[in-house]
Amino acid sequence: MTDRPRVFVTRNLPGSALDLLRQTCEVAVWPDELPPPPGELRREAAPSSGLLTLLTDRIDDALLSAAPNLVAVSNMATGYDNVDVDAATRRLVLVSRTPGVLTETTADLAFGLLLAAARRIAEGDRYVRAGHWRTWGPEIMLGPDVHGATLGIIGLGRIGAAVARRAAGFAMRILYTSRTRKPDAEKDLDATHTDLDTLLRESDFVSVHAALTDDTRGLIGARQLGLMKPGAVLVNTARGPLVDQDALYEALRSGSIAGAALDVTDPEPLRADSPLLALDNVVITPHIASASVATRSEMARLAAENLLASLAGDVNDNVVNPEIAADWRAARPGRLAG
Ligand code: DGY
């Protein structure tokens, strides 16, 4: 018998995160590159006190009900739409996430995708490799200018603001929507608050940075795409289901918008027979916005720290259901930190 809590980590992690967990916990790690299938996840969760999960792991009520010892789930992501937080809250399981550490890296890729779609970088690469480059031509591979254009940011949180800072270097005009107005950001970033329809009508580039919730699923559908300028480009580095992908395909195919750049799709991975893959005016990357060596190590470290904190009943700012703290501690007095 051991009094070290058992934790299950659903994939191998970069950096020092696993060593950190091993200092105080019995650690089991899913060894494969692909996520544990639901049955395996349930089997591993059943004897565990804590789970360190990724956005590919579905943590739902069925999983939670099969894990009576579970007190904490630490999701290695800033988004946590893969976790049924209401179910976790009902079962007094603390859920945490890793905001902050991936902001700049994610914004780098969002801006890179914007440039790639506008200036046809991926398409140009395919063109060269296919042997189509026969001459310099005044009308070959033309696209819109990025500098001086209008960028609409949907969701001016940490990542949206970091994208706006990059846009400032390109002398872009910045519009934004957000659940609440951000007077400081308006001043610092010279950003103008608008409603969503106005943003869509006026922007040359639209970058999506909203969280995925029941309210935001399908936020950009056929009507919203129809409001965008014919030359506009949509960038999504947040979550695939924020955009109605069938409607996006139709807008791209018909040329009602000029292009899109997606780091996230619905579903993930994108199916090999997705009609999007036949279009030249969309750039798609495999959900890699936070994938720098340093940032993934930081995310893993923070997820490990969050898990250890939650196992000790220390409810920090990264916990998304802090309202259960008192009940959690009352139910598990032996776990109080300090
Ligand atoms: C997140 O953190 O939510 C990203 O999508 C993964 O980097």
Side-chain angles (χ1 to χ4, degrees):
M1 274 299 275
T2 170
D3 56 3
R4 289 155 63 86
R6 181 189 201 270
V7 301
F8 177 59
V9 182
T10 64
R11 230 68 55 78
N12 204 13
L13 301 178
S16 58
L18 291 174
D19 289 340
L20 186 63
L21 290 173
R22 286 186 181 117
Q23 286 172 16
T24 50
C25 303
E26 292 303 319
V27 181
V29 181
W30 182 251
D32 293 353
E33 188 189 345
L34 295 179
E40 289 296 326
L41 184 53
R42 261 200 306 279
R43 202 175 57 74
E44 290 287 0
S48 298
S49 301
L51 297 179
L52 195 155
T53 55
L54 309 186
L55 53 85
T56 44
D57 305 313
R58 180 132 301 283
I59 308 301
D60 55 15
D61 198 45
L63 182 281
L64 294 168
S65 72
N69 302 318
L70 198 66
V71 297
V73 173
S74 169
N75 208 39
M76 187 184 130
T78 193
Y80 50 95
D81 45 282
N82 58 309
V83 181
D84 182 340
V85 177
D86 289 342
T89 298
R90 279 197 307 277
R91 293 178 184 278
L92 294 185
V93 173
L94 292 168
V95 178
S96 55
R97 66 190 189 113
T98 61
V101 292
L102 47 79
T103 303
E104 301 299 332
T105 302
T106 302
D108 285 347
L109 190 92
F111 211 81
L113 283 177
L114 184 157
L115 286 165
R119 300 305 311 276
R120 304 172 67 171
I121 294 173
E123 189 187 348
D125 180 76
R126 287 195 297 275
Y127 178 86
V128 173
R129 287 169 197 269
H132 296 321
W133 186 18
R134 295 187 304 149
T135 182
W136 184 94
E139 291 187 310
I140 291 175
M141 293 257 151
L142 306 188
D145 271 324
V146 173
H147 68 271
T150 296
L151 171 63
I153 296 180
I154 299 178
L156 197 71
R158 287 186 179 92
I159 297 170
V163 170
R165 285 197 297 279
R166 284 153 181 75
F170 283 70
M172 297 178 93
R173 170 181 172 236
I174 295 163
L175 306 178
Y176 80 97
T177 63
S178 203
R179 272 171 307 172
T180 53
R181 269 186 85 150
K182 313 270 168 110
D184 288 347
E186 288 180 25
K187 200 152 41 74
D188 297 347
L189 303 168
D190 199 13
T192 303
H193 183 264
T194 68
D195 58 78
L196 180 59
D197 285 6
T198 307
L199 179 145
L200 293 167
R201 275 194 199 97
E202 293 192 10
S203 298
D204 303 301
F205 297 91
V206 173
S207 194
V208 183
H209 300 284
L212 177 63
T213 65
D214 289 344
D215 292 339
T216 60
R217 189 173 294 275
L219 180 70
I220 305 298
R223 189 188 77 77
Q224 290 74 18
L225 290 161
L227 296 175
M228 290 174 68
K229 295 180 183 182
V233 170
L234 180 75
V235 181
N236 187 6
T237 52
R239 286 291 183 268
L242 292 164
V243 176
D244 176 337
Q245 213 160 268
D246 294 337
L248 177 63
Y249 168 76
E250 195 41 44
L252 290 166
R253 189 202 58 77
S254 67
S256 94
I257 67 170
L262 311 174
D263 185 49
V264 289
T265 59
D266 183 18
E268 290 183 10
L270 189 65
R271 279 201 273 270
D273 63 353
S274 168
L276 283 176
L277 295 171
L279 298 176
D280 263 334
N281 55 349
V282 57
V283 182
I284 306 175
T285 49
H287 205 146
I288 53 168
S290 63
S292 75
V293 176
T295 291
R296 285 286 167 84
S297 297
E298 270 305 282
M299 289 168 70
R301 184 198 54 76
L302 183 55
E305 282 179 358
N306 285 342
L307 186 56
L308 294 174
S310 290
L311 288 170
D314 173 9
V315 178
N316 67 26
D317 285 350
N318 299 330
V319 171
V320 301
N321 55 351
E323 68 279 8
I324 66 170
D327 290 344
W328 191 102
R329 291 182 183 124
R332 301 166 180 119
R335 286 189 180 274
L336 283 181

